[in-house]
Amino acid sequence: MSAETADTLVTPERDGGFRYWRLRFRAWRGHRPFWAGLFTLVSGLPIGYFPYAHLHIGNLTLAMATTAGAGSLIIGVLLVTLGLTMWFHSIVRVFAGVAAILLALVSIPVSNLGGFFVGFLLALIGGALSVSWAPEKAKNRVAEDEAAPEFAGKAESGDTVVLGDGPLLPGPRPGADEDATRTHTDWFKGGRHSAG
């Protein structure tokens, strides 16, 4: 077997595995405030780290410890926890976003100007993104409400009207037999889920 044949045999399998995990990560990321959680999680690191850091510049040691070092550590740990909460319990995203913004503001006097404004700005951005994020169902419901008057009266009892990848409008909902025929790409895109 030549080297070219070995490459062609190995590459598609490896590419398929990478593509599978990339699509799974994209689907996981799409159903939660991913960037809000990431910004909030990363913001806790400089806020919690800088009060305990000792920078060595040549023979000079620069200690940035404050009297409220424990407070900055608590704020940093809480921000990391709120970032993970945004990822894994997105139903409390508004509470987590408001709490992240409040902790960012408290970190200015407590933790060396909010981790030299790096952690402060990251926490503000993450909190704002978390408060403003809406789940996909709510976005589809808004699109359905806006488009419903256009199709009012045009659909008969047995007809279905589909708006792009959104939910079905007047007519029967898809049954369990239709779910069995969906491909794996439909599951990654979110497909059409019936309310039951």
Side-chain angles (χ1 to χ4, degrees):
M1 180 182 326
S2 69
E4 292 179 43
T5 308
D7 286 342
T8 58
L9 292 176
V10 173
T11 305
E13 181 179 291
R14 187 179 302 160
D15 184 42
F18 174 74
R19 184 179 306 159
Y20 170 76
W21 288 109
R22 184 176 57 85
L23 290 174
R24 285 213 34 186
F25 176 70
R26 182 184 295 173
W28 178 83
R29 186 186 69 192
H31 293 357
R32 64 199 76 246
F34 176 76
W35 292 108
L38 184 67
F39 280 125
T40 306
L41 191 137
V42 171
S43 73
L45 301 177
I47 289 175
Y49 172 74
F50 282 136
Y52 295 100
H54 296 285
L55 298 177
H56 299 286
I57 302 171
N59 291 332
L60 179 67
T61 300
L62 182 63
M64 290 177 269
T66 62
T67 57
S72 61
L73 182 64
I74 290 171
I75 291 172
V77 168
L78 284 175
L79 284 170
V80 169
T81 304
L82 287 172
L84 292 173
T85 301
M86 291 173 194
W87 281 352
F88 297 108
H89 297 289
S90 62
I91 196 159
V92 293
R93 69 190 178 280
V94 175
F95 167 76
V98 170
I101 291 170
L102 291 175
L103 285 172
L105 293 172
V106 169
S107 73
I108 290 176
V110 172
S111 175
N112 291 331
L113 299 173
F116 298 115
F117 292 111
V118 174
F120 167 73
L121 291 174
L122 288 173
L124 280 183
I125 293 169
L129 287 173
S130 179
V131 169
S132 65
W133 185 82
E136 190 65 33
K137 288 181 183 179
K139 292 176 187 174
N140 285 342
R141 194 175 304 125
V142 170
E144 178 181 336
D145 291 343
E146 291 174 356
E150 295 177 22
F151 296 103
K154 294 183 181 177
E156 297 178 10
S157 61
D159 294 341
T160 59
V161 179
V162 180
L163 294 176
D165 289 335
L168 295 175
L169 285 176
R173 301 301 255 180
D177 55 341
E178 187 175 309
D179 281 345
T181 61
R182 291 168 59 190
T183 63
H184 71 282
T185 56
D186 290 336
W187 289 104
F188 285 123
K189 291 180 185 174
R192 292 185 193 103
H193 300 286
S194 62

PDB file of all heavy atoms in Angstrom, residues 143-145 147-163 166-174:
ATOM      1  N   ALA A 143     -41.008  35.006  15.170  1.00  0.00           N
ATOM      2  CA  ALA A 143     -41.127  34.934  13.712  1.00  0.00           C
ATOM      3  C   ALA A 143     -42.484  34.371  13.313  1.00  0.00           C
ATOM      4  O   ALA A 143     -43.100  34.826  12.349  1.00  0.00           O
ATOM      5  CB  ALA A 143     -40.009  34.074  13.132  1.00  0.00           C
ATOM      6  N   GLU A 144     -42.991  33.389  14.062  1.00  0.00           N
ATOM      7  CA  GLU A 144     -44.291  32.810  13.767  1.00  0.00           C
ATOM      8  C   GLU A 144     -45.398  33.833  13.993  1.00  0.00           C
ATOM      9  O   GLU A 144     -46.318  33.949  13.187  1.00  0.00           O
ATOM     10  CB  GLU A 144     -44.507  31.591  14.667  1.00  0.00           C
ATOM     11  CG  GLU A 144     -45.852  30.922  14.499  1.00  0.00           C
ATOM     12  CD  GLU A 144     -46.006  29.749  15.444  1.00  0.00           C
ATOM     13  OE1 GLU A 144     -44.982  29.187  15.868  1.00  0.00           O
ATOM     14  OE2 GLU A 144     -47.146  29.408  15.752  1.00  0.00           O
ATOM     15  N   ASP A 145     -45.312  34.604  15.079  1.00  0.00           N
ATOM     16  CA  ASP A 145     -46.333  35.611  15.358  1.00  0.00           C
ATOM     17  C   ASP A 145     -46.341  36.707  14.303  1.00  0.00           C
ATOM     18  O   ASP A 145     -47.393  37.214  13.940  1.00  0.00           O
ATOM     19  CB  ASP A 145     -46.113  36.230  16.745  1.00  0.00           C
ATOM     20  CG  ASP A 145     -46.385  35.234  17.865  1.00  0.00           C
ATOM     21  OD1 ASP A 145     -47.045  34.202  17.592  1.00  0.00           O
ATOM     22  OD2 ASP A 145     -45.925  35.478  18.992  1.00  0.00           O
ATOM     23  N   ALA A 147     -45.373  36.351  11.123  1.00  0.00           N
ATOM     24  CA  ALA A 147     -45.735  35.823   9.816  1.00  0.00           C
ATOM     25  C   ALA A 147     -47.146  35.251   9.785  1.00  0.00           C
ATOM     26  O   ALA A 147     -47.697  35.035   8.719  1.00  0.00           O
ATOM     27  CB  ALA A 147     -44.747  34.745   9.396  1.00  0.00           C
ATOM     28  N   ALA A 148     -47.745  34.977  10.924  1.00  0.00           N
ATOM     29  CA  ALA A 148     -49.063  34.340  10.965  1.00  0.00           C
ATOM     30  C   ALA A 148     -50.138  35.148  10.250  1.00  0.00           C
ATOM     31  O   ALA A 148     -50.953  34.565   9.543  1.00  0.00           O
ATOM     32  CB  ALA A 148     -49.459  34.057  12.402  1.00  0.00           C
ATOM     33  N   PRO A 149     -50.221  36.482  10.351  1.00  0.00           N
ATOM     34  CA  PRO A 149     -51.277  37.210   9.640  1.00  0.00           C
ATOM     35  C   PRO A 149     -51.204  37.052   8.125  1.00  0.00           C
ATOM     36  O   PRO A 149     -52.224  37.090   7.454  1.00  0.00           O
ATOM     37  CB  PRO A 149     -51.052  38.667  10.049  1.00  0.00           C
ATOM     38  CG  PRO A 149     -50.342  38.594  11.341  1.00  0.00           C
ATOM     39  CD  PRO A 149     -49.498  37.358  11.253  1.00  0.00           C
ATOM     40  N   GLU A 150     -50.027  36.868   7.559  1.00  0.00           N
ATOM     41  CA  GLU A 150     -49.897  36.709   6.114  1.00  0.00           C
ATOM     42  C   GLU A 150     -50.589  35.443   5.632  1.00  0.00           C
ATOM     43  O   GLU A 150     -51.151  35.403   4.550  1.00  0.00           O
ATOM     44  CB  GLU A 150     -48.424  36.640   5.712  1.00  0.00           C
ATOM     45  CG  GLU A 150     -47.665  37.912   5.971  1.00  0.00           C
ATOM     46  CD  GLU A 150     -46.194  37.731   5.619  1.00  0.00           C
ATOM     47  OE1 GLU A 150     -45.876  36.821   4.828  1.00  0.00           O
ATOM     48  OE2 GLU A 150     -45.392  38.500   6.140  1.00  0.00           O
ATOM     49  N   PHE A 151     -50.514  34.389   6.434  1.00  0.00           N
ATOM     50  CA  PHE A 151     -51.050  33.106   6.030  1.00  0.00           C
ATOM     51  C   PHE A 151     -52.430  32.848   6.623  1.00  0.00           C
ATOM     52  O   PHE A 151     -52.967  31.766   6.465  1.00  0.00           O
ATOM     53  CB  PHE A 151     -50.087  31.980   6.441  1.00  0.00           C
ATOM     54  CG  PHE A 151     -48.773  32.066   5.741  1.00  0.00           C
ATOM     55  CD1 PHE A 151     -47.652  32.546   6.392  1.00  0.00           C
ATOM     56  CD2 PHE A 151     -48.663  31.692   4.418  1.00  0.00           C
ATOM     57  CE1 PHE A 151     -46.443  32.634   5.736  1.00  0.00           C
ATOM     58  CE2 PHE A 151     -47.450  31.779   3.762  1.00  0.00           C
ATOM     59  CZ  PHE A 151     -46.344  32.251   4.420  1.00  0.00           C
ATOM     60  N   ALA A 152     -52.992  33.809   7.327  1.00  0.00           N
ATOM     61  CA  ALA A 152     -54.303  33.611   7.932  1.00  0.00           C
ATOM     62  C   ALA A 152     -55.336  33.427   6.824  1.00  0.00           C
ATOM     63  O   ALA A 152     -55.443  34.231   5.912  1.00  0.00           O
ATOM     64  CB  ALA A 152     -54.668  34.804   8.804  1.00  0.00           C
ATOM     65  N   GLY A 153     -56.087  32.352   6.899  1.00  0.00           N
ATOM     66  CA  GLY A 153     -57.135  32.085   5.930  1.00  0.00           C
ATOM     67  C   GLY A 153     -56.632  31.384   4.683  1.00  0.00           C
ATOM     68  O   GLY A 153     -57.434  30.889   3.905  1.00  0.00           O
ATOM     69  N   LYS A 154     -55.335  31.333   4.431  1.00  0.00           N
ATOM     70  CA  LYS A 154     -54.799  30.690   3.228  1.00  0.00           C
ATOM     71  C   LYS A 154     -54.585  29.203   3.425  1.00  0.00           C
ATOM     72  O   LYS A 154     -54.530  28.457   2.470  1.00  0.00           O
ATOM     73  CB  LYS A 154     -53.478  31.346   2.813  1.00  0.00           C
ATOM     74  CG  LYS A 154     -53.656  32.784   2.367  1.00  0.00           C
ATOM     75  CD  LYS A 154     -52.341  33.348   1.916  1.00  0.00           C
ATOM     76  CE  LYS A 154     -52.519  34.803   1.502  1.00  0.00           C
ATOM     77  NZ  LYS A 154     -51.260  35.411   1.131  1.00  0.00           N
ATOM     78  N   ALA A 155     -54.399  28.784   4.671  1.00  0.00           N
ATOM     79  CA  ALA A 155     -54.157  27.374   4.934  1.00  0.00           C
ATOM     80  C   ALA A 155     -55.467  26.682   5.257  1.00  0.00           C
ATOM     81  O   ALA A 155     -56.272  27.181   6.025  1.00  0.00           O
ATOM     82  CB  ALA A 155     -53.197  27.218   6.111  1.00  0.00           C
ATOM     83  N   GLU A 156     -55.678  25.551   4.621  1.00  0.00           N
ATOM     84  CA  GLU A 156     -56.871  24.775   4.903  1.00  0.00           C
ATOM     85  C   GLU A 156     -56.562  23.815   6.031  1.00  0.00           C
ATOM     86  O   GLU A 156     -55.435  23.720   6.498  1.00  0.00           O
ATOM     87  CB  GLU A 156     -57.310  24.047   3.640  1.00  0.00           C
ATOM     88  CG  GLU A 156     -57.694  25.025   2.521  1.00  0.00           C
ATOM     89  CD  GLU A 156     -58.079  24.299   1.257  1.00  0.00           C
ATOM     90  OE1 GLU A 156     -58.233  23.066   1.294  1.00  0.00           O
ATOM     91  OE2 GLU A 156     -58.225  24.970   0.223  1.00  0.00           O
ATOM     92  N   SER A 157     -57.538  23.054   6.436  1.00  0.00           N
ATOM     93  CA  SER A 157     -57.373  22.213   7.623  1.00  0.00           C
ATOM     94  C   SER A 157     -56.288  21.159   7.450  1.00  0.00           C
ATOM     95  O   SER A 157     -55.609  20.818   8.394  1.00  0.00           O
ATOM     96  CB  SER A 157     -58.697  21.546   7.976  1.00  0.00           C
ATOM     97  OG  SER A 157     -59.106  20.715   6.890  1.00  0.00           O
ATOM     98  N   GLY A 158     -56.080  20.631   6.252  1.00  0.00           N
ATOM     99  CA  GLY A 158     -55.087  19.590   6.053  1.00  0.00           C
ATOM    100  C   GLY A 158     -53.747  20.099   5.579  1.00  0.00           C
ATOM    101  O   GLY A 158     -52.786  19.353   5.490  1.00  0.00           O
ATOM    102  N   ASP A 159     -53.658  21.373   5.217  1.00  0.00           N
ATOM    103  CA  ASP A 159     -52.425  21.931   4.688  1.00  0.00           C
ATOM    104  C   ASP A 159     -51.496  22.346   5.822  1.00  0.00           C
ATOM    105  O   ASP A 159     -51.930  22.680   6.906  1.00  0.00           O
ATOM    106  CB  ASP A 159     -52.702  23.161   3.826  1.00  0.00           C
ATOM    107  CG  ASP A 159     -53.473  22.808   2.564  1.00  0.00           C
ATOM    108  OD1 ASP A 159     -53.455  21.619   2.202  1.00  0.00           O
ATOM    109  OD2 ASP A 159     -54.081  23.717   1.982  1.00  0.00           O
ATOM    110  N   THR A 160     -50.210  22.331   5.513  1.00  0.00           N
ATOM    111  CA  THR A 160     -49.229  22.863   6.448  1.00  0.00           C
ATOM    112  C   THR A 160     -48.438  23.930   5.739  1.00  0.00           C
ATOM    113  O   THR A 160     -48.166  23.835   4.549  1.00  0.00           O
ATOM    114  CB  THR A 160     -48.254  21.771   6.955  1.00  0.00           C
ATOM    115  OG1 THR A 160     -47.593  21.217   5.838  1.00  0.00           O
ATOM    116  CG2 THR A 160     -48.986  20.704   7.734  1.00  0.00           C
ATOM    117  N   VAL A 161     -48.065  24.950   6.467  1.00  0.00           N
ATOM    118  CA  VAL A 161     -47.272  26.037   5.922  1.00  0.00           C
ATOM    119  C   VAL A 161     -45.976  26.072   6.708  1.00  0.00           C
ATOM    120  O   VAL A 161     -45.994  26.154   7.935  1.00  0.00           O
ATOM    121  CB  VAL A 161     -48.017  27.385   6.049  1.00  0.00           C
ATOM    122  CG1 VAL A 161     -47.165  28.496   5.496  1.00  0.00           C
ATOM    123  CG2 VAL A 161     -49.351  27.304   5.335  1.00  0.00           C
ATOM    124  N   VAL A 162     -44.845  25.982   6.022  1.00  0.00           N
ATOM    125  CA  VAL A 162     -43.549  25.963   6.684  1.00  0.00           C
ATOM    126  C   VAL A 162     -42.840  27.265   6.381  1.00  0.00           C
ATOM    127  O   VAL A 162     -42.753  27.684   5.237  1.00  0.00           O
ATOM    128  CB  VAL A 162     -42.706  24.771   6.188  1.00  0.00           C
ATOM    129  CG1 VAL A 162     -41.372  24.767   6.869  1.00  0.00           C
ATOM    130  CG2 VAL A 162     -43.441  23.469   6.427  1.00  0.00           C
ATOM    131  N   LEU A 163     -42.326  27.915   7.426  1.00  0.00           N
ATOM    132  CA  LEU A 163     -41.533  29.132   7.261  1.00  0.00           C
ATOM    133  C   LEU A 163     -40.071  28.777   7.468  1.00  0.00           C
ATOM    134  O   LEU A 163     -39.620  28.653   8.590  1.00  0.00           O
ATOM    135  CB  LEU A 163     -41.943  30.190   8.291  1.00  0.00           C
ATOM    136  CG  LEU A 163     -43.340  30.762   8.155  1.00  0.00           C
ATOM    137  CD1 LEU A 163     -43.606  31.707   9.303  1.00  0.00           C
ATOM    138  CD2 LEU A 163     -43.475  31.483   6.847  1.00  0.00           C
ATOM    139  N   GLY A 166     -38.240  27.183  10.568  1.00  0.00           N
ATOM    140  CA  GLY A 166     -39.021  27.456  11.765  1.00  0.00           C
ATOM    141  C   GLY A 166     -40.105  26.423  11.995  1.00  0.00           C
ATOM    142  O   GLY A 166     -40.213  25.415  11.300  1.00  0.00           O
ATOM    143  N   PRO A 167     -40.965  26.683  12.958  1.00  0.00           N
ATOM    144  CA  PRO A 167     -42.021  25.733  13.306  1.00  0.00           C
ATOM    145  C   PRO A 167     -43.114  25.721  12.250  1.00  0.00           C
ATOM    146  O   PRO A 167     -43.219  26.607  11.415  1.00  0.00           O
ATOM    147  CB  PRO A 167     -42.537  26.288  14.630  1.00  0.00           C
ATOM    148  CG  PRO A 167     -42.248  27.741  14.557  1.00  0.00           C
ATOM    149  CD  PRO A 167     -40.965  27.864  13.792  1.00  0.00           C
ATOM    150  N   LEU A 168     -43.945  24.700  12.311  1.00  0.00           N
ATOM    151  CA  LEU A 168     -45.066  24.577  11.392  1.00  0.00           C
ATOM    152  C   LEU A 168     -46.178  25.513  11.820  1.00  0.00           C
ATOM    153  O   LEU A 168     -46.426  25.716  12.998  1.00  0.00           O
ATOM    154  CB  LEU A 168     -45.576  23.145  11.380  1.00  0.00           C
ATOM    155  CG  LEU A 168     -44.601  22.105  10.848  1.00  0.00           C
ATOM    156  CD1 LEU A 168     -45.187  20.720  11.015  1.00  0.00           C
ATOM    157  CD2 LEU A 168     -44.309  22.356   9.393  1.00  0.00           C
ATOM    158  N   LEU A 169     -46.852  26.081  10.840  1.00  0.00           N
ATOM    159  CA  LEU A 169     -48.002  26.933  11.116  1.00  0.00           C
ATOM    160  C   LEU A 169     -49.271  26.106  10.924  1.00  0.00           C
ATOM    161  O   LEU A 169     -49.196  24.887  10.956  1.00  0.00           O
ATOM    162  CB  LEU A 169     -47.944  28.168  10.219  1.00  0.00           C
ATOM    163  CG  LEU A 169     -46.896  29.187  10.658  1.00  0.00           C
ATOM    164  CD1 LEU A 169     -46.838  30.327   9.664  1.00  0.00           C
ATOM    165  CD2 LEU A 169     -47.144  29.713  12.026  1.00  0.00           C
ATOM    166  N   PRO A 170     -50.449  26.693  10.698  1.00  0.00           N
ATOM    167  CA  PRO A 170     -51.716  25.955  10.734  1.00  0.00           C
ATOM    168  C   PRO A 170     -51.664  24.633   9.994  1.00  0.00           C
ATOM    169  O   PRO A 170     -51.150  24.547   8.897  1.00  0.00           O
ATOM    170  CB  PRO A 170     -52.691  26.914  10.053  1.00  0.00           C
ATOM    171  CG  PRO A 170     -52.101  28.255  10.221  1.00  0.00           C
ATOM    172  CD  PRO A 170     -50.626  28.065  10.270  1.00  0.00           C
ATOM    173  N   GLY A 171     -52.207  23.639  10.623  1.00  0.00           N
ATOM    174  CA  GLY A 171     -52.232  22.303  10.047  1.00  0.00           C
ATOM    175  C   GLY A 171     -51.748  21.295  11.063  1.00  0.00           C
ATOM    176  O   GLY A 171     -51.445  21.634  12.209  1.00  0.00           O
ATOM    177  N   PRO A 172     -51.661  20.042  10.683  1.00  0.00           N
ATOM    178  CA  PRO A 172     -51.256  19.002  11.632  1.00  0.00           C
ATOM    179  C   PRO A 172     -49.779  19.099  11.987  1.00  0.00           C
ATOM    180  O   PRO A 172     -48.961  19.536  11.191  1.00  0.00           O
ATOM    181  CB  PRO A 172     -51.557  17.704  10.876  1.00  0.00           C
ATOM    182  CG  PRO A 172     -51.493  18.078   9.437  1.00  0.00           C
ATOM    183  CD  PRO A 172     -51.973  19.502   9.364  1.00  0.00           C
ATOM    184  N   ARG A 173     -49.445  18.733  13.203  1.00  0.00           N
ATOM    185  CA  ARG A 173     -48.064  18.692  13.677  1.00  0.00           C
ATOM    186  C   ARG A 173     -47.425  17.386  13.218  1.00  0.00           C
ATOM    187  O   ARG A 173     -48.111  16.388  13.025  1.00  0.00           O
ATOM    188  CB  ARG A 173     -48.007  18.766  15.207  1.00  0.00           C
ATOM    189  CG  ARG A 173     -48.642  20.011  15.788  1.00  0.00           C
ATOM    190  CD  ARG A 173     -47.983  21.226  15.278  1.00  0.00           C
ATOM    191  NE  ARG A 173     -47.133  21.810  16.292  1.00  0.00           N
ATOM    192  CZ  ARG A 173     -46.432  22.886  16.105  1.00  0.00           C
ATOM    193  NH1 ARG A 173     -46.475  23.503  14.965  1.00  0.00           N
ATOM    194  NH2 ARG A 173     -45.685  23.356  17.048  1.00  0.00           N
ATOM    195  N   PRO A 174     -46.096  17.361  13.056  1.00  0.00           N
ATOM    196  CA  PRO A 174     -45.443  16.117  12.632  1.00  0.00           C
ATOM    197  C   PRO A 174     -45.573  15.048  13.701  1.00  0.00           C
ATOM    198  O   PRO A 174     -45.537  15.340  14.894  1.00  0.00           O
ATOM    199  CB  PRO A 174     -43.983  16.532  12.425  1.00  0.00           C
ATOM    200  CG  PRO A 174     -43.822  17.788  13.187  1.00  0.00           C
ATOM    201  CD  PRO A 174     -45.159  18.456  13.226  1.00  0.00           C
TER     202      PRO A 174
END
